[in-house]
Amino acid sequence: MDNSNAEQVSASLPSTRTHELVASARWLLKMRWIAGAGVFPATWIACSVLNLGVSSTPLFITGVAILLYNALLWYWLGRLNRIADPQDVRYSHLAHLQVGLDWLAMTALIHFSGGVESPIIFFFVFHIIIASLLFDQRTAYFYAFTALLLVGGTVALEVAGRLEHVHVEGFLGTVSYREPAYLVGVLGIFAVTSIVTVYLTSSIAERLRRREDQLSTLYMGAQAVSSSLDLATVLNRLVEATAEAMGVSAASIGLIDSTGTGVEVAAAHGMSASYLSKGPILLEKSRVYSKVLSSGRPLIVQGEVDRSRFQYPDEKEKEGIRSILYVPLIARNRTLGIVRAHSSRPNRFTEDDARFLTAIAAQGGVAIENAMAYQALKKLDLDKSQFVRSVTHELRSPVTGAQSLLRGVIKGYAGGLTDRQQDILKRLNRRLNKLEALINDLLDLAAGRSDLKVEDNRSLALMDTLDRVIARLSVQLDEKEQKLVYDRPAGNPIVSATEEGLDRIFVNLVGNAIKYTPEGGTVSVQVEERDLHVATAVKDTGIGIPAKSLPRLFSEFYRAPNAKAFETGTGLGLVIVKELVESFGGRISVESEEGRGAAFTVHLPAAAP
Ligand code: ATP
Ligand code: MG
């Protein structure tokens, strides 16, 4: 990847460089406290211990100046941190000001410690490294050349006698600092060192920055891709992540078709409609595709390429595609297809890009496989529900037929019966009634799973339903001599549901309350309107639910041991209730203790009348 590509990538990402600039500004300020303070002991050693003959006063003054301007910069940074966000251009101004002042301070130190003889000249290299880390390569070169100009200019002025030259005792013996060979040697090496330093440092820094950008894209892509189980969403997010990470405008995902002989485009980004409709990719006709799939390795196709390697060379040229990167899409243990990025620029992709896209594709592959497995499970569940539905449907008609025949026989339409015969037929009738109830429950369950549609919901007055349900169940309440407490709210809560669904919810809950409460107990129904929802509590004073049964209450066919000993049932009612409540956007909760009654509360979102 060359520089302009790197810029494409970073432009679409939260820039690492601006964040870096803020962090580096602080770090640089801290370092300068040390460097500024370091001038004093260094000067003392040079003047008093090594007796180098340089004058300490101007050096001390420069040290003080460094500390002073650092204090001002420190104050400015503190203010910026309070008022500006990291993108603020003033952070960049601060960085340039810091480097500018350092350049002047360095020039002063060099001049006062011997000019071209000064060993401090090579300290400039540290500053050049810092500038290369802070700024882009061009700016870093600018600062390196400025350093050369400042040092070269100072030396020139000293040689010309315009500026007093400080001689360092014992450094140069017979050689004069005016000696051309000496000047050229020192300044030449300084120049080469500076330029090479900028080149090396900024190339390494640029690489690291690109890696950092890539990692954050990879991270964001992984999050986007794995946050959904919907196959189409996963595929679309993956192509977008690919295009963004590669900094190209077009990417696509092709999945191997069911016959294994071709690849179908499953998601595409940034491609023209005519290119997308070019036709299916057949492995026997596309050498590039078959090569990637059989080798399981990425492939870069760019520059002058043999047209025969492609199935659609004309379409490729018309689309203006000059470079293509193919990466196999591999999940756990099988190849699913190919991720492809392309560009209109020749020689656009590098090995580095191939490695990076392979990492993205690996994450995407797992997410795609998960979404596929989820889709298959959903389909299986639907098939199962449909199967249950058709079987129960077929079962219902002979049962209802048998029931009506039996009722006729019991009523004596087929001739007189003995008491014993009557008794047996009545028991048979009760069994058939139970069987019919079970079939109805199963039908409800299957119906709920397969085709409960939100658009079937209407705004319904909850109290109408509850009145109806209670009226219907009052016979059973009377039979068991149970007391009913029915608290109607002041208002008229409206919920969004189907009439039949709402009926079934409360027939089941109130029915259970009656069923699992001994004679003489109390059943209560309380409706409360809260902020955005309506809570309906169905309570009883019955046998209650053992603590260890509570978590399994809403699973198919589950019945608590105390309930089994108390009454017959199938254990499907609550499953149906829960599915219906959830299909209406609500939830159900239960509170109970064995032997102390139960309370089921249905929370439904309030709807507009
Ligand atoms: P059916 O499918 O015929 O309604 P069921 O009443 O046993 O049979 P659910 O209504 O699903 O099935 O209830 C499941 C279990 O939850 C019951 O078997 C019982 O153990 C417990 N349960 C439900 N309501 C109550 C209640 N009001 N009091 C005590 N236990 C209850
Ligand atoms: Mg029940």
Side-chain angles (χ1 to χ4, degrees):
M1 219 193 264
D2 62 30
N3 268 334
S4 58
N5 297 337
E7 271 159 26
Q8 267 181 328
V9 172
S10 52
S12 52
L13 287 162
S15 164
T16 16
R17 184 163 261 156
T18 42
H19 284 275
E20 222 171 76
L21 209 58
V22 178
S24 314
R26 178 190 303 278
W27 172 80
L28 205 56
L29 282 160
K30 278 189 189 151
M31 295 305 290
R32 199 175 296 103
W33 288 127
I34 300 171
V39 170
F40 298 94
T43 304
W44 178 76
I45 291 170
C47 301
S48 310
V49 181
L50 301 175
N51 288 321
L52 296 182
V54 294
S55 159
S56 61
T57 318
L59 290 172
F60 282 146
I61 292 173
T62 313
V64 171
I66 293 174
L67 294 178
L68 271 179
Y69 75 69
N70 203 43
L72 288 174
L73 293 169
W74 185 268
Y75 170 75
W76 191 23
L77 178 71
R79 252 182 72 84
L80 271 188
N81 284 345
R82 278 195 301 278
I83 59 168
D85 64 65
Q87 315 290 333
D88 200 300
V89 68
R90 281 174 287 183
Y91 279 107
S92 159
H93 293 165
L94 178 71
H96 284 288
L97 186 62
Q98 292 200 59
V99 173
L101 288 169
D102 284 346
W103 258 228
L104 292 178
M106 277 303 293
T107 311
L109 285 176
I110 290 168
H111 167 64
F112 293 124
S113 61
V116 73
E117 291 179 58
S118 171
I120 296 177
I121 284 190
F122 288 93
F123 275 25
F124 235 131
V125 174
F126 297 143
H127 289 267
I128 289 169
I129 292 175
I130 291 169
S132 311
L133 291 175
L134 277 181
F135 306 112
D136 59 42
Q137 202 169 36
R138 198 181 298 174
T139 315
Y141 277 125
F142 165 78
Y143 277 117
F145 282 112
T146 313
L148 290 181
L149 273 181
L150 286 171
V151 173
T154 309
V155 172
L157 288 175
E158 286 177 18
V159 171
R162 296 293 182 88
L163 213 57
E164 191 196 341
H165 173 74
V166 179
H167 177 61
V168 185
E169 214 62 64
F171 267 37
L172 293 175
T174 51
V175 188
S176 155
Y177 75 93
R178 286 200 163 90
E179 198 76 58
Y182 174 70
L183 287 173
V184 170
V186 172
L187 293 178
I189 288 178
F190 176 56
V192 172
T193 310
S194 304
I195 289 160
V196 171
T197 303
V198 172
Y199 175 72
L200 289 180
T201 315
S202 55
S203 307
I204 293 169
E206 196 53 56
R207 257 184 94 83
L208 288 177
R209 261 181 219 125
R210 214 156 54 217
R211 279 268 180 278
E212 204 178 324
D213 283 348
Q214 285 184 338
L215 276 179
S216 72
T217 320
L218 198 60
Y219 175 72
M220 291 192 302
Q223 271 199 324
V225 163
S226 56
S227 61
S228 173
L229 275 175
D230 178 57
L231 185 59
T233 311
V234 169
L235 290 168
N236 282 326
R237 286 183 183 164
L238 185 58
V239 275
E240 272 155 30
T242 301
E244 177 161 351
M246 292 287 106
V248 294
S249 55
S252 67
I253 296 174
L255 296 179
I256 299 175
D257 64 17
S258 50
T259 60
T261 55
V263 171
E264 279 166 16
V265 175
H269 175 92
M271 294 180 181
S272 75
S274 67
Y275 183 68
L276 281 174
S277 61
K278 63 190 185 299
I281 297 145
L282 299 172
L283 295 184
E284 55 172 28
K285 293 201 177 154
S286 171
R287 268 164 53 204
V288 277
Y289 270 82
S290 56
K291 183 169 176 201
V292 176
L293 289 178
S294 60
S295 69
R297 292 180 43 74
L299 178 68
I300 298 171
V301 181
Q302 53 197 2
E304 283 307 309
V305 198
D306 178 6
R307 280 168 59 90
S308 72
R309 294 178 70 186
F310 297 93
Q311 188 184 349
Y312 301 101
D314 297 335
E315 286 80 354
K316 171 178 160 281
E317 265 156 38
K318 233 175 102 192
E319 185 80 354
I321 301 172
R322 311 279 290 278
S323 316
I324 316 178
L325 167 59
Y326 302 88
V327 166
L329 187 60
I330 300 172
R332 283 177 270 267
N333 45 21
R334 64 195 179 108
T335 307
L336 300 172
I338 287 183
V339 183
R340 207 188 93 139
H342 74 227
S343 167
S344 54
R345 287 210 344 244
N347 302 318
R348 168 65 182 73
F349 298 109
T350 61
E351 289 297 315
D352 208 31
D353 291 327
R355 269 194 298 277
F356 185 47
L357 191 54
T358 305
I360 296 178
Q363 288 176 326
V366 175
I368 289 172
E369 196 165 59
N370 286 344
M372 283 174 157
Y374 178 71
Q375 229 177 25
L377 268 180
K378 251 178 43 181
K379 174 150 186 343
L380 215 64
D381 198 43
L382 203 70
D383 290 350
K384 192 187 78 184
S385 304
Q386 260 153 10
F387 173 73
V388 171
R389 207 146 83 113
S390 58
V391 168
T392 43
H393 211 86
E394 292 306 302
L395 281 175
R396 188 153 68 166
S397 45
V399 169
T400 47
Q403 274 175 312
S404 73
L405 288 175
L406 199 59
R407 270 197 297 273
V409 175
I410 291 171
K411 282 186 178 150
Y413 298 149
L417 296 169
T418 66
D419 286 353
R420 175 120 181 86
Q421 285 170 332
Q422 273 270 351
D423 186 45
I424 292 174
L425 290 180
K426 276 186 181 158
R427 270 161 52 198
L428 185 58
N429 190 33
R430 277 201 296 277
R431 297 258 163 107
L432 280 179
N433 287 345
K434 271 193 188 137
L435 185 57
E436 192 206 1
L438 171 62
I439 291 172
N440 284 338
D441 276 357
L442 284 172
L443 266 174
D444 275 350
L445 204 60
R449 297 231 167 124
S450 56
D451 52 21
L452 261 181
K453 285 194 247 57
V454 180
E455 44 288 9
D456 293 339
N457 293 350
R458 305 191 291 118
S459 291
L460 297 173
L462 177 65
M463 302 319 294
D464 292 352
T465 303
L466 284 175
D467 290 347
R468 215 171 30 238
V469 168
I470 285 169
R472 199 189 315 164
L473 294 176
S474 60
V475 185
Q476 292 171 37
L477 275 160
D478 292 345
E479 267 177 15
K480 291 185 84 172
E481 291 174 2
Q482 287 167 340
K483 190 174 149 220
L484 173 77
V485 178
Y486 183 25
D487 283 347
R488 303 177 97 262
N492 183 26
I494 306 290
V495 296
S496 168
T498 61
E499 205 163 292
E500 204 189 312
L502 211 54
D503 254 38
R504 282 210 78 81
I505 293 174
F506 293 107
V507 165
N508 266 300
L509 292 179
V510 180
N512 277 350
I514 297 171
K515 180 163 145 185
Y516 295 112
T517 301
E519 292 186 3
T522 304
V523 172
S524 64
V525 179
Q526 292 159 336
V527 182
E528 226 183 281
E529 278 187 281
R530 310 220 176 127
D531 278 351
L532 293 169
H533 78 276
V534 189
T536 311
V538 179
K539 298 182 187 167
D540 62 62
T541 56
I543 61 169
I545 301 156
K548 67 174 194 301
S549 298
L550 278 173
R552 299 181 56 194
L553 223 51
F554 297 95
S555 358
E556 281 156 46
F557 301 108
Y558 180 77
R559 305 194 65 222
N562 65 336
K564 277 187 194 162
F566 192 75
E567 266 283 7
T568 55
T570 55
L572 286 176
L574 286 182
V575 184
I576 296 168
V577 168
K578 184 164 185 265
E579 289 198 349
L580 285 167
V581 170
E582 285 172 358
S583 78
F584 301 149
R587 62 185 175 87
I588 181 168
S589 59
V590 53
E591 273 175 55
S592 180
E593 257 179 71
E594 188 167 6
R596 313 196 60 169
F600 287 83
T601 310
V602 174
H603 304 264
L604 290 172

